[in-house]
């Protein structure tokens, strides 16, 4: 690290001091200015850097000095420094060169800040997506993990960055993609923590050069569970329909709005009404005399039993039992079982 003496602590010198303090190439051993209240001297004192009003005293006190930077813009002062130090192994940088140096250093800092800002934006974008993302470099070491990947896989990215991918997540298969250079799309994988994901893996190229592999995956655990539940519900529904359709009792089912949902063949034989005439129609469609018990049960939520009425175009005498279908405390429909009174009378007579 070069020992540097800064001569000139006005606006320009103060700004250059800030930049030089951030570099690792120079160690600022002193700051000089004729004005003891200059901005740069105050700043140097705050940072515990020795300050001087005369450059010669500073040079003698701080020797050896590797670099002297003169930023006063005073040509006579520069000539004075150059003449006095011509036999010394000290590099003297005039104001004009210092200005260029300051510009280059400042531009470098600006570019670094832009890169950091861009990197921050990229991190925000990657961490905002619900899809998990993991990337590895050419050696198979983890180079990138976003927040969704942490959540889905169940590890801390700070603990896995830089580690070999097969030691962290063998099921990622990214090493295979790295070796073959071929993408794999929509592969179903069960992770060690039991979660199910669908993943797509692709090789990463910089131009024609392979530089790593990237995997993006979506957690479908809940979707799979829901699909299984729906499948089970469909199975139950099919089973209930089979039971209703095979029953010798006439059965009708309506929804919460009193519209026909389901009837069985025994219902058609009893009432003379077909599915086309009943399904989607009001519950009163089959009543020839009396009030609809479906509507009453839907309003009250209370089952009814043994209600006499006449149904169908032939005015069949029947007895009706109706019960509500309650889901999560709410009436979602009702089921009615209809018995033929003529058969009951005939059996009673016999």
């Amino acid at each position: 690290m070069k020992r540097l003496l800064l001569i000139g602590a006005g606006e320009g010198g103060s700004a250059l001091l800030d930049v030089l303090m951030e570099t690792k190439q120079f160690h600022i051993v002193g700051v000089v200015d004729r004005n003891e209240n200059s901005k740069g001297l105050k700043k140097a004192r705050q940072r515990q850097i020795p300050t001087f009003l005369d450059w010669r005293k500073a040079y003698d006190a701080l020797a050896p000095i590797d670099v002297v930077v003169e930023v006063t813009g005073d040509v006579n002062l520069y000539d004075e420094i150059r003449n006095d130090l011509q036999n010394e192994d000290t590099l003297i940088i005039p104001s004009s060169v210092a200005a260029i140096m300051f510009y280059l250093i400042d531009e470098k800092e600006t570019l670094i800040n832009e890169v950091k800002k861009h990197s921050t934006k990229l991190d925000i974008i990657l961490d905002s997506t619900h899809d998990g993302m993991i990337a590895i470099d050419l050696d198979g070491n983890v180079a990138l993990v976003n927040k969704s990947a942490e959540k889905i896989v169940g590890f801390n990215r700070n603990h896995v960055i830089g580690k070999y991918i097969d030691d962290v997540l063998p099921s990622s298969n990214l090493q295979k993609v790295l070796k073959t250079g071929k993408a794999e799309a929509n592969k179903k994988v069960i992770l060690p923590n039991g979660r199910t994901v669908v993943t797509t893996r692709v090789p990463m190229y910089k131009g024609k050069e392979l530089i790593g592999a990237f995997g993006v995956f979506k957690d479908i655990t809940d979707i799979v569970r829901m699909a299984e539940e729906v499948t089970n519900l469909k199975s139950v529904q099919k089973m209930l329909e089979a039971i209703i359709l095979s029953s010798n009792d006439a059965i009708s089912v309506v929804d919460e709005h009193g519209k026909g949902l389901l009837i069985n063949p025994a219902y058609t034989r009893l009432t003379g009404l077909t599915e086309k005439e009943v399904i989607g129609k009001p519950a009163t469609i089959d009543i020839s005399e009396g009030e609809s018990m479906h509507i009453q049960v839907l309003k009250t939520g209370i089952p009814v039993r043994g209600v006499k009425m006449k149904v169908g175009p032939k005015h069949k005498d029947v007895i009706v039992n109706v019960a509500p279908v309650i889901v999560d405390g709410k009436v979602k429909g009702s089921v009615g079982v209809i018995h033929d009174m003529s058969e009951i009378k005939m059996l009673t007579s016999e």
Side-chain angles (χ1 to χ4, degrees), residues 316-333:
K316 281 271 189 177
D317 288 314
V318 296
I319 292 178
V320 177
N321 298 326
V322 181
V325 177
I326 299 175
V327 180
D328 294 331
K330 295 182 179 180
V331 177
K332 292 296 183 180

Side-chain angles (χ1 to χ4, degrees), residues 107-268:
E107 187 177 69
K108 176 186 174 184
E109 293 297 321
T110 301
L111 288 173
I112 291 174
N113 289 333
E114 285 297 320
V115 170
K116 287 180 179 178
K117 187 186 297 183
H118 178 73
S119 178
T120 300
K121 287 182 180 178
L122 183 61
D123 288 340
I124 292 172
I125 292 171
L126 291 176
D127 285 338
S128 297
T129 178
H130 292 291
D131 292 342
M133 296 180 182
I134 296 178
I136 62 172
D137 60 22
L138 205 55
D139 296 321
N141 298 323
V142 178
L144 178 147
V145 177
N146 72 345
K147 281 189 176 180
S148 292
E150 283 186 302
K151 182 179 179 182
I152 295 169
V153 180
F155 54 45
N156 187 317
R157 57 181 155 185
N158 295 327
H159 296 162
V160 300
I161 294 292
K163 291 187 178 180
Y164 190 57
I165 184 63
D166 284 354
D167 294 336
V168 175
L169 190 64
S171 58
S172 74
N173 238 17
L174 288 175
Q175 270 290 63
K176 178 183 175 183
V177 173
L178 198 61
K179 290 178 181 178
T180 63
K182 295 181 179 179
E184 297 181 350
N186 300 322
K187 299 293 183 180
K188 184 178 177 181
V189 177
I190 298 177
L191 300 176
N193 60 9
R195 302 198 74 81
T196 303
V197 300
V198 171
T199 178
T200 295
R201 315 169 183 114
V202 295
M204 296 190 299
Y205 288 92
K206 185 178 181 180
K208 294 183 178 180
E209 180 187 2
L210 180 67
I211 61 170
F214 179 76
V216 57
F217 47 93
K218 184 181 292 293
D219 188 352
I220 61 168
T221 306
D222 294 335
I223 297 174
V224 170
R225 187 181 298 119
M226 288 173 62
E228 291 173 349
E229 289 176 358
V230 169
T231 301
N232 291 337
L233 286 174
K234 286 183 177 179
S235 299
V236 172
Q237 181 183 9
K238 291 293 183 183
M239 184 170 63
L240 289 175
E241 287 180 357
I243 293 171
I244 291 172
L245 293 175
S246 63
S247 173
N248 288 325
D249 290 326
I251 299 174
S252 69
V253 182
V254 300
D255 63 18
E256 59 191 306
H257 304 294
K259 298 293 180 66
L261 281 179
L262 176 68
I263 60 173
N264 65 350
Y267 174 92
T268 299

Side-chain angles (χ1 to χ4, degrees), residues 269-280:
R269 289 194 299 269
L270 175 61
T271 64
L273 298 173
T274 63
E275 284 189 351
K276 186 177 180 181
E277 296 173 297
V278 176
I279 303 303

